[in-house]
Amino acid sequence: YWKFVLSKSLGQAFIISIILSIFVFVISKYLILFFFSGFDEIQKQMVFHFMGIFLISMNFFIMSSQLTNALRTIDKFFEVELINVIGSLLAIPLVYFFSEKFGLISVCYILLLKSFLIFVAQYFLVNCPQILIKEGLKDKKSWRLMKPVLAGSSIYKLAPLLDKFLLSFAPQGLMTIFSLSNNLISAGAQIIDKSVVMTIYVKFGKYIKDKDFNKLKRSVLTGLTKTTIISVFCIIMLILFKNIIIDILIILLESSYSKCVQIWNFIVLLIGVFYASPAANIAVNAQYAFGNTNVVVKVGILGFIISIILKLVMYYYFEITGLLIAISLHYLLNFSIHTIILLKRNEFNSQ
C-alpha cells in the first residue's frame, strides 16, 4: 500500500511539474520584461536561457521531493542527506573546472545534472516504484487537498521576484551580494530545518492519527524551543566573531574587505529569514498533517500582500537596507501567524 501511495504521488508530481513548466515557459518572456526591466537585452536573453534549464531541473526536484518525503517516513534520514551531500560534492569540482571556461551557463547545466542524479539515486533507493499518472490523476481526495495549495502558492511564491525587480534598480553588484548573502542565510536555515525541525514534524501525522494531541503539542513546543535557542546562539556568534567571519569571507570569496563587510551586513539584516523559515515549517507541517491546507494558503497569501506593501514602502525610504528588513519582517510575520493559529486549535487546548 505504501508503495502504491508513493507511485500515485509521483504521478501527481509529474503532472504538476509538466503543467507548471509549460506555464512558466509560456509567460517567461513577460516575467523577464517586468521583473528584470533594469537589465539590457543581452542580460534578458541570458535570464531566459537560464530559466529554461532551471525549469527542467525543477521537474527533477519536484519528483525528488516526493521521494525524499517517502524515504523520511521510513526513517532513512541519513540516506537522504548523504545523497544530497554527494550530489553537492560532485557539483563543486565541476563548477570549478567548467565555469571559468564556459561561464554561468555551465553552472546551470551542472545544476541540471545534479538534480537528475539525485532523483535517480533516490528512485533506486525506494526500489524503483512505478509512476502512476492515471491513478494519480483520479485521486480526487488528494487533488482536493492540494487545490488550495497549488492555487495559493502560485501567487505568494512570486514574492522573491519582487525582490529581484527592486534589486535590478540597485547599483551594480548589489544583486550579486544579495544573492550570496541570501544563499548563506538559506543554507543555515536549511541546516536547522533538516537537523532539528524535520525530525519532529515527520511524526505529526502519526500523533494526529492516534489522537495523541498532548504529544503533538509537546513536539511543536520542543521544536520551537530548539529552533529559537540555536538561532539566538548563531546570531550571538555572528556578532561576536564579526571580524573573523569577514576575514574568512575574504579568503573564500577572494573579494575585497568592503564587499565582505557588506555581505555580513546583509546577513544580519536577513536574520529573520534564518530563524522564521525553519520555525514556521513546524506550524505549517502540523496544519498539513491536520489536512488544513486552506489555512496555510490563506496565511501565505495574506503575508504576500502585506510583504508587497512593506517592501515597496521600505525600499522607497531606505533602499536596499529597507528591502532586506522587509524580507525579514515578512518571514517573521508568516511564522507568527502560523504558530498562533496552530496553538489556538481546540486539540491543543482541550487536554
Side-chain angles (χ1 to χ4, degrees), residues 144-145 147-149 288 291-300:
R144 187 169 63 252
L145 290 172
K147 185 178 177 181
V149 177
Y288 281 147
N292 292 331
T293 53
N294 279 316
V295 172
V296 177
V297 173
K298 288 177 181 178
V299 172

Side-chain angles (χ1 to χ4, degrees), residues 31-198:
L31 290 174
I32 292 170
L33 286 173
F34 180 76
F35 289 104
F36 299 94
S37 58
F39 284 13
D40 58 36
E41 287 304 315
I42 295 176
Q43 290 174 318
K44 289 177 182 177
Q45 285 297 322
M46 287 179 62
V47 172
F48 181 72
H49 193 174
F50 293 166
M51 188 176 291
I53 301 171
F54 287 146
L55 284 176
I56 301 173
S57 301
M58 180 191 69
N59 292 328
F60 290 117
F61 280 126
I62 291 175
M63 300 289 284
S64 290
S65 67
Q66 300 300 311
L67 296 174
T68 296
N69 290 332
L71 288 167
R72 284 169 179 154
T73 58
I74 54 177
D75 294 328
K76 290 192 175 182
F77 293 94
F78 175 77
E79 289 85 346
V80 170
E81 301 310 321
L82 180 63
I83 290 172
N84 289 325
V85 169
I86 291 174
S88 298
L89 291 176
L90 289 174
I92 290 171
L94 291 176
V95 170
Y96 178 79
F97 286 114
F98 289 103
S99 61
E100 186 174 351
K101 185 175 182 180
F102 299 102
L104 285 176
I105 190 66
S106 64
V107 178
C108 296
Y109 282 112
I110 291 168
L111 176 63
L112 173 59
L113 176 64
K114 175 187 171 183
S115 64
F116 171 73
L117 292 177
I118 288 175
F119 168 74
V120 170
Q122 291 178 331
Y123 186 71
F124 279 97
L125 194 59
V126 291
N127 299 319
C128 305
Q130 290 181 287
I131 300 177
L132 300 177
I133 298 174
K134 186 177 179 180
E135 287 78 0
L137 191 61
K138 290 180 177 180
D139 189 353
K140 295 181 179 179
K141 182 180 179 181
S142 295
W143 287 113
R144 187 169 63 252
L145 290 172
M146 283 191 286
K147 185 178 177 181
V149 177
L150 295 173
S153 62
S154 63
I155 299 173
Y156 63 79
K157 290 295 184 181
L158 293 174
L161 291 178
L162 176 61
D163 306 338
K164 298 295 189 297
F165 171 69
L166 294 174
L167 284 165
S168 67
F169 297 100
Q172 188 175 6
L174 277 186
M175 183 178 286
T176 301
I177 293 174
F178 167 80
S179 297
L180 182 56
S181 305
N182 191 50
N183 287 339
L184 290 172
I185 282 289
S186 297
Q190 286 180 24
I191 291 172
I192 296 177
D193 185 61
K194 291 180 179 180
S195 61
V196 178
V197 175
M198 197 173 291

Side-chain angles (χ1 to χ4, degrees), residues 188 191-192 227-241 245 264 267 271 274:
I191 291 172
I192 296 177
T227 304
T228 302
I229 292 172
I230 294 172
S231 298
V232 170
F233 174 79
C234 291
I235 293 168
I236 293 173
M237 293 298 102
L238 181 67
I239 295 172
L240 289 179
F241 296 100
I245 293 170
W264 186 89
I267 290 173
I271 208 69
F274 177 75

